[in-house]
């Protein structure tokens, strides 16, 4: 079945640094979603991407839908302590069943 | 209430107990989902309901029994669970199952511990 590879698995950065994480798939995806999960809470949708090449920002967050439709990245600029959490990519494949395929997550820690 | 709510937030149960998890969405969505999230593992889809009809059972053991009385409410009935069933159980909802944008919105989860 379709799978997503998300990297890196974890990051430990200094406050103020920029962060980049990405997801790749072996098959084409029609939608890419990026979520953030705080400890003990459910994932919260950050950005949704629907077209190849689409670049979307949400505050300090920027995400892009890869032109090949097989990858997406999320950038966080000028990180702050509250950016700490687990970031998940997710996507809908070509089967159009509505099922979301999730990446394994990137754990971000920010040192003040 | 707004968004997706789940109760209880925490549950501790013995292996012989019967309990239920409840999820309610206030977003006017038609599809609802149960996911299991264990430590160090990706989110695992358990069940999908679309317009109250179950459309997906992802090989989930029968000790987990879902119920969807209407498009706004989803239950997960638990009985004779095993310690390895301890996890965060997440409910999500979306506008539709397929055929268009399908952003899923998650509840806060129920942290389940089976003793």
């Amino acid at each position: 079945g379709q799978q997503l590879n998300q990297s890196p698995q974890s990051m430990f950065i200094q406050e103020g640094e920029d962060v980049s994480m990405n997801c790749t798939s072996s098959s084409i995806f029609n939608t890419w979603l990026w979520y953030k999960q705080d400890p003990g809470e459910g994932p919260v949708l950050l950005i949704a991407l629907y077209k190849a090449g689409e670049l979307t920002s949400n505050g300090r967050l920027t995400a892009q839908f890869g032109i090949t439709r097989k990858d997406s990245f999320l950038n966080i600029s000028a990180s702050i302590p509250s950016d700490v959490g687990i970031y998940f990519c997710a996507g809908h494949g070509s089967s159009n069943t509505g099922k979301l395929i999730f990446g394994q997550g990137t754990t971000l820690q920010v040192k003040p | 209430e707004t968004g997706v709510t789940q109760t209880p937030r925490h549950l501790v149960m013995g292996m012989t107990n019967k309990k239920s998890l409840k999820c309610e969405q206030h977003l006017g969505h038609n599809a609802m989902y149960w996911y299991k999230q264990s430590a160090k593992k990706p989110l695992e889809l358990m069940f999908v309901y679309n317009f109250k009809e179950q459309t997906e059972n992802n090989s989930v053991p029968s000790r987990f029994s879902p119920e969807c009385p209407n498009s706004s409410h989803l239950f997960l009935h638990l009985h004779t669970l095993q310690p390895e069933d301890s996890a965060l159980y997440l409910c999500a909802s979306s506008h539709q199952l397929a055929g268009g944008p399908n952003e899923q919105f998650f509840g806060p989860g129920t942290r389940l511990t089976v003793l």
Side-chain angles (χ1 to χ4, degrees):
Chain A
Q2 292 178 304
Q3 293 184 340
L4 285 181
N5 291 313
Q6 185 172 349
S7 65
Q9 245 185 356
S10 62
M11 303 180 75
F12 191 95
I13 61 169
Q14 195 76 33
E15 181 177 1
E17 288 183 358
D18 296 344
V19 172
S20 185
M21 60 193 78
N22 69 83
C23 273
T24 59
S25 168
S26 57
S27 55
I28 290 172
F29 273 57
N30 295 324
T31 305
W32 285 96
L33 307 174
W34 284 93
Y35 289 88
K36 181 194 177 195
Q37 186 175 24
D38 291 329
E41 298 293 332
V44 174
L45 183 64
L46 300 173
I47 293 179
L49 302 161
Y50 298 106
K51 295 179 184 177
E54 181 180 354
L55 184 71
T56 298
S57 293
N58 178 6
R60 293 177 296 106
L61 278 59
T62 302
Q64 184 158 30
F65 194 141
I67 198 73
T68 65
R69 295 169 64 190
K70 292 184 178 182
D71 64 330
S72 176
F73 71 75
L74 174 71
N75 286 344
I76 305 173
S77 63
S79 58
I80 59 178
S82 62
D83 290 333
V84 164
I86 304 176
Y87 292 80
F88 291 97
C89 62
H92 288 119
S94 55
S95 63
N96 204 30
T97 62
K99 284 173 58 176
L100 271 182
I101 310 298
F102 281 87
Q104 304 95 325
T106 295
T107 300
L108 177 65
Q109 294 178 287
V110 179
K111 184 178 180 182
Chain B
E1 295 277 17
T2 59
V4 181
T5 58
Q6 288 186 245
T7 55
R9 292 296 310 275
H10 301 272
L11 179 62
V12 179
M13 58 188 289
M15 289 192 286
T16 58
N17 291 157
K18 289 184 181 181
K19 296 286 184 184
S20 295
L21 310 185
K22 178 183 176 182
C23 175
E24 185 173 0
Q25 59 93 3
H26 309 266
L27 300 168
H29 289 165
N30 296 311
M32 297 188 77
Y33 312 78
W34 279 118
Y35 288 87
K36 176 184 178 183
Q37 187 177 36
S38 305
K40 311 282 185 190
K41 286 186 179 181
L43 282 160
E44 300 173 50
L45 180 64
M46 299 174 72
F47 301 104
V48 180
Y49 278 82
N50 193 39
F51 290 94
K52 303 189 299 177
E53 298 298 320
Q54 187 180 122
T55 59
E56 182 104 16
N57 176 339
N58 210 20
S59 303
V60 180
S62 60
R63 57 185 185 269
F64 295 91
S65 174
E67 179 190 359
C68 188
N70 55 61
S71 292
S72 298
H73 294 85
L74 186 64
F75 296 89
L76 189 61
H77 304 299
L78 316 170
H79 63 98
T80 58
L81 294 192
Q82 305 297 312
E84 60 264 28
D85 296 323
S86 300
L88 182 68
Y89 288 85
L90 291 162
C91 172
S93 71
S94 67
H95 272 296
Q96 58 192 342
L97 194 58
N102 187 13
E103 301 161 8
Q104 290 183 22
F105 294 85
F106 286 83
T110 294
R111 173 65 63 186
L112 174 67
T113 302
V114 181
L115 302 176

